[in-house]
Coordinates of all heavy atoms in Angstrom, one line a residue:
M1 N 132.8 43.8 146.8 CA 133.6 44.2 145.7 C 134.7 43.3 145.2 O 134.8 42.9 144.2 CB 134.2 45.6 146.1 CG 133.2 46.6 146.5 SD 134.1 48.2 147.0 CE 132.6 49.1 147.4
K2 N 135.4 42.8 146.3 CA 136.4 41.8 146.1 C 135.8 40.5 145.7 O 136.4 39.7 145.0 CB 137.3 41.7 147.2 CG 138.1 42.9 147.6 CD 139.1 43.3 146.6 CE 139.9 44.5 146.9 NZ 140.9 44.8 146.0
M3 N 134.6 40.2 146.1 CA 134.1 38.9 145.9 C 133.9 38.6 144.4 O 134.2 37.6 143.8 CB 132.7 38.9 146.6 CG 132.7 38.9 148.1 SD 133.6 37.6 148.8 CE 132.5 36.2 148.4
R4 N 133.5 39.6 143.7 CA 133.3 39.3 142.2 C 134.6 39.1 141.5 O 134.7 38.3 140.6 CB 132.6 40.6 141.6 CG 131.2 40.8 142.0 CD 130.6 41.8 141.2 NE 131.1 43.1 141.4 CZ 130.8 44.2 140.7 NH1 129.8 44.1 139.7 NH2 131.4 45.3 140.8
Y5 N 135.6 39.7 142.0 CA 136.9 39.6 141.4 C 137.3 38.1 141.7 O 138.0 37.4 140.8 CB 137.9 40.5 142.1 CG 139.3 40.4 141.5 CD1 139.5 40.9 140.2 CD2 140.3 39.8 142.2 CE1 140.7 40.9 139.6 CE2 141.5 39.8 141.7 CZ 141.8 40.3 140.4 OH 143.0 40.2 139.9
E6 N 137.0 37.6 142.9 CA 137.5 36.2 143.2 C 136.8 35.2 142.2 O 137.3 34.3 141.8 CB 137.2 35.9 144.6 CG 138.1 36.7 145.6 CD 137.8 36.2 146.9 OE1 137.3 35.1 147.2 OE2 138.0 37.0 147.9
L7 N 135.5 35.5 142.0 CA 134.7 34.5 141.2 C 135.3 34.5 139.7 O 135.1 33.4 139.1 CB 133.2 35.0 141.1 CG 132.5 34.9 142.5 CD1 131.2 35.4 142.3 CD2 132.5 33.4 142.9
R8 N 135.9 35.5 139.3 CA 136.5 35.5 137.9 C 137.8 34.7 137.9 O 138.2 34.4 136.8 CB 136.8 37.0 137.6 CG 135.5 37.7 137.4 CD 135.7 39.2 137.2 NE 136.6 39.4 136.0 CZ 137.1 40.5 135.5 NH1 136.8 41.6 136.3 NH2 137.9 40.8 134.5
Q9 N 138.3 34.4 139.0 CA 139.5 33.7 139.1 C 139.5 32.5 139.9 O 140.2 32.2 140.9 CB 140.7 34.5 139.6 CG 141.0 35.7 138.6 CD 142.3 36.4 139.1 OE1 142.5 36.5 140.2 NE2 143.0 37.1 138.2
R10 N 138.4 31.6 139.7 CA 138.1 30.5 140.5 C 139.4 29.7 140.6 O 139.6 29.2 141.7 CB 136.9 29.8 140.0 CG 135.7 30.5 140.2 CD 134.5 29.8 139.5 NE 134.4 28.5 140.3 CZ 133.5 27.6 140.0 NH1 132.6 27.8 138.9 NH2 133.3 26.5 140.8
G11 N 140.0 29.3 139.6 CA 141.0 28.4 139.6 C 142.2 28.8 140.4 O 142.8 28.0 141.1
R12 N 142.5 30.1 140.5 CA 143.6 30.5 141.2 C 143.3 31.2 142.4 O 144.2 31.7 143.1 CB 144.4 31.5 140.2 CG 144.9 30.9 139.0 CD 145.5 32.0 138.1 NE 146.6 32.6 138.7 CZ 147.3 33.8 138.2 NH1 146.9 34.1 137.0 NH2 148.3 34.2 138.9
G13 N 142.1 31.4 142.8 CA 141.7 32.1 143.9 C 141.5 31.2 145.1 O 140.8 31.6 146.1
L14 N 142.2 30.2 145.3 CA 142.0 29.2 146.3 C 142.8 29.8 147.6 O 142.4 29.4 148.7 CB 142.6 27.9 146.0 CG 141.8 27.3 144.8 CD1 142.5 25.8 144.5 CD2 140.4 27.0 145.2
R15 N 143.8 30.6 147.4 CA 144.6 31.0 148.5 C 144.4 32.4 148.8 O 145.4 33.1 149.2 CB 146.0 30.6 148.2 CG 146.3 29.2 148.7 CD 147.8 29.0 148.7 NE 148.3 28.6 147.4 CZ 149.5 28.2 147.0 NH1 150.4 28.5 148.0 NH2 149.8 28.0 145.8
K16 N 143.3 33.0 148.4 CA 143.1 34.5 148.7 C 142.6 34.7 150.0 O 141.8 34.0 150.5 CB 142.1 35.0 147.6 CG 142.7 35.2 146.2 CD 141.9 36.1 145.3 CE 142.6 36.4 144.1 NZ 141.8 37.2 143.2
C17 N 142.9 35.9 150.5 CA 142.4 36.3 151.7 C 141.0 36.6 151.6 O 140.5 37.3 150.6 CB 143.2 37.6 152.2 SG 142.4 38.4 153.6
R18 N 140.2 36.1 152.4 CA 138.7 36.2 152.4 C 138.3 37.6 153.0 O 137.2 38.0 152.8 CB 138.0 35.1 153.2 CG 138.4 35.1 154.6 CD 137.7 34.1 155.4 NE 138.1 33.9 156.8 CZ 137.4 33.4 157.7 NH1 136.3 32.7 157.4 NH2 137.8 33.3 158.9
I19 N 139.2 38.4 153.5 CA 138.8 39.7 154.0 C 139.3 40.7 153.0 O 138.4 41.5 152.7 CB 139.6 40.0 155.4 CG1 139.2 38.9 156.4 CG2 139.3 41.4 155.9 CD1 139.9 39.1 157.7
C20 N 140.5 40.8 152.6 CA 140.9 41.8 151.7 C 141.0 41.4 150.2 O 141.2 42.1 149.3 CB 142.2 42.5 152.1 SG 143.7 41.4 152.0
G21 N 141.0 40.0 150.0 CA 141.1 39.5 148.8 C 142.5 39.4 148.2 O 142.8 38.9 147.1
G22 N 143.4 39.7 149.0 CA 144.9 39.6 148.7 C 145.3 38.2 148.7 O 144.8 37.4 149.4
S23 N 146.4 37.9 147.9 CA 146.9 36.6 147.9 C 148.3 36.4 148.4 O 149.0 35.6 148.3 CB 147.1 36.1 146.4 OG 147.8 37.0 145.6
R24 N 148.6 37.5 149.2 CA 150.0 37.6 149.8 C 150.0 36.9 151.2 O 149.2 37.1 152.1 CB 150.5 39.0 150.2 CG 151.1 39.6 148.9 CD 151.5 40.9 149.3 NE 152.3 41.6 148.2 CZ 152.9 42.6 148.3 NH1 152.8 43.4 149.5 NH2 153.5 43.3 147.4
A25 N 150.9 35.9 151.3 CA 151.1 35.2 152.7 C 149.8 34.9 153.3 O 149.5 35.2 154.5 CB 151.9 36.2 153.6
V26 N 148.9 34.3 152.6 CA 147.6 33.9 153.2 C 147.8 32.7 154.0 O 148.4 31.6 153.7 CB 146.6 33.5 152.0 CG1 145.3 32.9 152.6 CG2 146.3 34.6 151.2
I27 N 147.2 32.8 155.2 CA 147.4 31.7 156.2 C 146.3 30.7 156.0 O 145.1 31.0 156.1 CB 147.3 32.3 157.6 CG1 148.4 33.3 157.8 CG2 147.2 31.2 158.7 CD1 148.3 34.1 159.1
R28 N 146.6 29.5 155.8 CA 145.6 28.4 155.6 C 145.7 27.4 156.7 O 144.8 26.5 156.9 CB 146.0 27.6 154.3 CG 145.7 28.5 153.1 CD 145.9 27.6 151.9 NE 147.2 26.9 151.9 CZ 147.4 25.8 151.1 NH1 146.5 25.4 150.2 NH2 148.6 25.3 151.1
S29 N 146.7 27.6 157.6 CA 146.9 26.5 158.6 C 145.6 26.3 159.4 O 145.4 25.2 159.8 CB 148.0 27.1 159.5 OG 149.2 27.3 158.8
Y30 N 145.0 27.3 159.8 CA 143.8 27.2 160.8 C 142.6 27.4 160.0 O 141.5 27.7 160.5 CB 143.9 28.2 161.9 CG 145.2 28.1 162.6 CD1 146.3 29.1 162.3 CD2 145.5 27.2 163.6 CE1 147.5 29.1 162.9 CE2 146.7 27.1 164.2 CZ 147.8 28.1 163.9 OH 148.9 28.0 164.6
K31 N 142.6 27.1 158.6 CA 141.5 27.2 157.9 C 140.9 28.7 157.9 O 139.7 29.0 157.8 CB 140.3 26.3 158.2 CG 140.7 24.9 158.1 CD 139.5 24.0 158.4 CE 139.9 22.5 158.1 NZ 138.8 21.7 158.5
L32 N 141.9 29.6 158.1 CA 141.5 31.1 158.2 C 141.3 31.6 156.8 O 140.4 32.4 156.6 CB 142.6 31.7 159.0 CG 142.7 31.3 160.4 CD1 143.9 32.0 161.0 CD2 141.5 31.7 161.2
Y33 N 142.3 31.2 156.0 CA 142.3 31.8 154.6 C 142.3 33.3 154.7 O 141.5 34.0 153.8 CB 141.0 31.3 153.8 CG 141.2 29.9 153.5 CD1 140.5 28.9 154.3 CD2 141.9 29.4 152.4 CE1 140.7 27.6 154.0 CE2 142.1 28.1 152.0 CZ 141.5 27.2 152.9 OH 141.6 25.8 152.7
I34 N 143.0 33.9 155.4 CA 143.3 35.4 155.4 C 144.8 35.6 155.5 O 145.6 34.8 156.0 CB 142.6 35.9 156.7 CG1 143.3 35.4 158.0 CG2 141.2 35.8 156.8 CD1 142.7 36.0 159.2
C35 N 145.1 36.8 155.0 CA 146.6 37.2 154.8 C 147.1 37.5 156.2 O 146.3 37.8 157.2 CB 146.7 38.2 153.9 SG 146.0 39.8 154.3
R36 N 148.3 37.6 156.3 CA 149.0 37.9 157.6 C 148.6 39.3 158.1 O 148.4 39.5 159.3 CB 150.5 37.9 157.4 CG 151.0 36.6 157.2 CD 152.5 36.6 157.2 NE 153.1 37.1 158.5 CZ 154.3 37.3 158.7 NH1 155.2 37.0 157.8 NH2 154.7 37.6 159.8
R37 N 148.4 40.3 157.2 CA 148.0 41.6 157.5 C 146.6 41.6 158.1 O 146.4 42.1 159.2 CB 148.0 42.4 156.2 CG 147.6 43.9 156.6 CD 147.7 44.8 155.3 NE 147.1 46.1 155.6 CZ 147.0 47.0 154.7 NH1 147.2 46.8 153.4 NH2 146.5 48.1 155.0
C38 N 145.6 40.9 157.6 CA 144.4 40.9 158.1 C 144.3 40.0 159.4 O 143.5 40.2 160.2 CB 143.4 40.3 157.1 SG 143.1 41.4 155.6
F39 N 145.2 39.0 159.4 CA 145.2 38.2 160.5 C 145.7 39.0 161.8 O 145.0 38.8 162.8 CB 146.3 37.1 160.3 CG 146.5 36.1 161.5 CD1 145.6 35.3 161.7 CD2 147.6 36.5 162.3 CE1 145.8 34.5 162.9 CE2 147.7 35.6 163.5 CZ 146.9 34.6 163.7
R40 N 146.5 39.9 161.5 CA 147.0 40.7 162.8 C 145.9 41.7 163.2 O 145.7 42.0 164.3 CB 148.3 41.4 162.3 CG 149.4 40.6 162.2 CD 150.6 41.4 162.1 NE 150.9 42.1 163.3 CZ 151.9 43.0 163.5 NH1 152.8 43.1 162.5 NH2 152.0 43.7 164.5
E41 N 145.2 42.1 162.1 CA 144.1 43.1 162.4 C 142.8 42.4 163.1 O 142.1 43.1 163.8 CB 143.7 43.8 161.2 CG 144.9 44.7 160.6 CD 144.5 45.4 159.3 OE1 143.3 45.1 158.8 OE2 145.2 46.2 158.8
N42 N 142.7 41.2 162.7 CA 141.6 40.5 163.2 C 141.8 39.4 164.2 O 140.9 38.6 164.5 CB 140.8 39.9 161.9 CG 140.2 41.0 161.1 OD1 139.2 41.6 161.2 ND2 141.0 41.4 160.0
A43 N 143.0 39.3 164.6 CA 143.4 38.2 165.4 C 142.5 38.2 166.7 O 142.2 37.2 167.1 CB 144.9 38.4 165.8
H44 N 142.3 39.3 167.2 CA 141.5 39.3 168.5 C 140.1 38.9 168.2 O 139.4 38.3 169.1 CB 141.5 40.8 169.1 CG 140.9 41.8 168.2 ND1 141.7 42.2 167.1 CD2 139.8 42.4 168.2 CE1 140.9 43.1 166.5 NE2 139.8 43.3 167.1
N45 N 139.6 39.1 167.0 CA 138.3 38.6 166.7 C 138.1 37.2 166.4 O 137.1 36.5 166.6 CB 137.8 39.4 165.4 CG 137.6 40.9 165.7 OD1 137.3 41.3 166.8 ND2 137.8 41.7 164.6
L46 N 139.3 36.6 166.1 CA 139.4 35.3 165.8 C 139.7 34.4 166.9 O 139.9 33.2 166.9 CB 140.2 35.0 164.5 CG 139.8 35.7 163.3 CD1 140.9 35.6 162.3 CD2 138.6 35.0 162.8
G47 N 140.2 35.1 168.0 CA 140.6 34.3 169.1 C 142.1 33.9 169.1 O 142.5 33.1 169.8
F48 N 142.8 34.7 168.3 CA 144.3 34.4 168.1 C 145.1 35.5 168.8 O 146.2 35.7 168.4 CB 144.6 34.1 166.7 CG 144.2 32.9 166.3 CD1 143.1 32.6 165.5 CD2 145.0 31.7 166.4 CE1 142.6 31.5 165.1 CE2 144.6 30.6 165.9 CZ 143.4 30.4 165.2
D49 N 144.5 36.2 169.6 CA 145.2 37.4 170.2 C 146.5 37.0 171.0 O 147.4 37.7 171.2 CB 144.4 38.2 171.2 CG 143.6 37.3 172.2 OD1 143.6 36.1 171.9 OD2 143.3 37.7 173.1
K50 N 146.6 35.7 171.2 CA 147.8 35.2 172.0 C 149.0 35.1 171.0 O 150.1 35.2 171.4 CB 147.5 33.9 172.5 CG 146.4 33.8 173.5 CD 146.3 32.3 174.0 CE 145.1 32.3 175.1 NZ 144.9 31.0 175.5
L51 N 148.7 35.0 169.7 CA 149.8 34.9 168.7 C 150.2 36.2 168.2 O 151.2 36.4 167.5 CB 149.3 34.1 167.5 CG 148.9 32.6 167.9 CD1 148.4 31.9 166.6 CD2 150.1 31.9 168.5
S52 N 149.5 37.3 168.5 CA 149.9 38.6 168.0 C 151.0 39.1 168.9 O 151.9 39.9 168.4 CB 148.7 39.5 168.1 OG 148.3 39.7 169.4
Ligands
LIG1 ZN1 143.8 40.3 154.0

């Protein structure tokens, strides 16, 4: 669902969360491209449970 929305904003969608599609506080540091909220929810899946 969110994927189509991203495609419509290719130019500005570089920093969008790939999970929820949000553009708030998206973490790019580890090439995660996910927002802080999704990061916390998926940290254990990504192997970042140490940072939570
Ligand atoms: Zn997100």
